[in-house]
Amino acid sequence: MSPIARITAGLIGLFAVGSIGLDMWISLSAHPDRTFLAEFWRLLRCFTILTNLMLAGLCFWVASGRRVAPFWTAAVALWIAIVGIVYHLLLARDLSGIDWWPDFGLHTFVPVSYVLWWLVFAPKAGLRFVDGLSWLGWPAAYVVYALGRGALDGVYPYFFLNPVKSGWMGVAGWSAGLCGAFFVGGIAMIALAKLLTKGRPHPADAALRDPQLR
């Protein structure tokens, strides 16, 4: 990728990590009895935190100049976009002061900036509609993880994954609906990627024609 693409990716990754760090600092300041590791483990029950960490890792990988497959840059774009959409539709809180900053970073700035980065800089050739099914793996795995942690300690991160509040049928319905949203969003992204790369040669085809690219 171009230097500007790598630099921008690195900045987005830093903002994601910084937002998580600020969130932890605020929480530890309010609860000095908690340890750093205990607070970090508490945050790791949230899809938002896990997905932002995944995004940061990918962004730092890109910033270092390493190659990353279009499958993964698009997958992270889908997952972080759903983070922002679900938050603003179902979970948004009225925050002010310093509490507002990490909330804004994790649920608004990082999702919007990464999706824009994907649209402008990320390679998109070679994505297949079947990838939309593969991308369901992460949200499905998270549902199992969140329910497993909740069964052990009685704490569920979201109301729609809380069988005590929503019932198991409610959890199943919400999980199916959210997976459906991920699938539809993934198919839309793949269709957009195909539209944006229409008429451009696939990298593998270009390598066959140009020996210098092999």
Side-chain angles (χ1 to χ4, degrees):
M1 295 187 188
S2 67
I4 186 64
R6 297 198 301 270
I7 292 171
T8 307
L11 291 174
I12 295 172
L14 285 173
F15 204 95
V17 171
S19 296
I20 294 172
L22 180 58
D23 193 25
M24 287 191 62
W25 179 79
I26 293 170
S27 184
L28 288 171
S29 298
H31 303 90
D33 56 309
R34 295 177 182 172
T35 65
F36 177 88
L37 289 178
E39 180 62 18
F40 188 56
W41 176 242
R42 186 186 70 83
L43 288 178
L44 286 181
R45 73 172 66 251
C46 300
F47 187 82
T48 295
I49 300 298
L50 292 168
T51 305
N52 270 272
L53 286 173
M54 189 184 303
L55 177 150
L58 183 142
C59 285
F60 294 148
W61 184 269
V62 170
S64 69
R66 295 182 176 90
R67 292 179 178 272
V68 59
F71 175 93
W72 290 111
T73 54
V76 171
L78 170 66
W79 298 333
I80 200 66
I82 297 295
V83 165
I85 292 170
V86 169
Y87 176 79
H88 287 286
L89 289 179
L90 300 175
L91 304 169
R93 299 173 293 171
D94 186 15
L95 299 174
S96 60
I98 195 171
D99 292 330
W100 179 85
W101 287 99
D103 189 80
F104 170 76
L106 295 170
H107 299 108
T108 305
F109 181 83
V110 171
V112 170
S113 61
Y114 182 83
V115 170
L116 289 176
W117 179 88
W118 178 78
L119 286 170
V120 175
F121 296 115
K124 304 171 188 66
L127 291 176
R128 304 169 300 166
F129 284 111
V130 70
D131 292 335
L133 284 174
S134 301
W135 293 339
L136 295 179
W138 168 230
Y142 173 77
V143 168
V144 174
Y145 163 75
L147 291 175
R149 278 194 63 167
L152 291 175
D153 60 20
V155 179
Y156 296 90
Y158 307 109
F159 74 88
F160 46 79
L161 291 181
N162 188 340
V164 177
K165 292 184 177 180
S166 301
W168 284 107
M169 289 301 295
V171 169
W174 276 106
S175 299
L178 289 171
C179 282
F182 275 101
F183 180 70
V184 171
I187 295 300
M189 283 185 58
I190 294 166
L192 177 60
K194 289 183 176 295
L195 180 64
L196 294 174
T197 57
K198 187 176 182 180
R200 300 180 186 177
H202 189 280
D205 298 333
L208 289 174
R209 290 193 295 270
D210 188 348
Q212 293 182 350
L213 297 177
R214 296 178 187 173

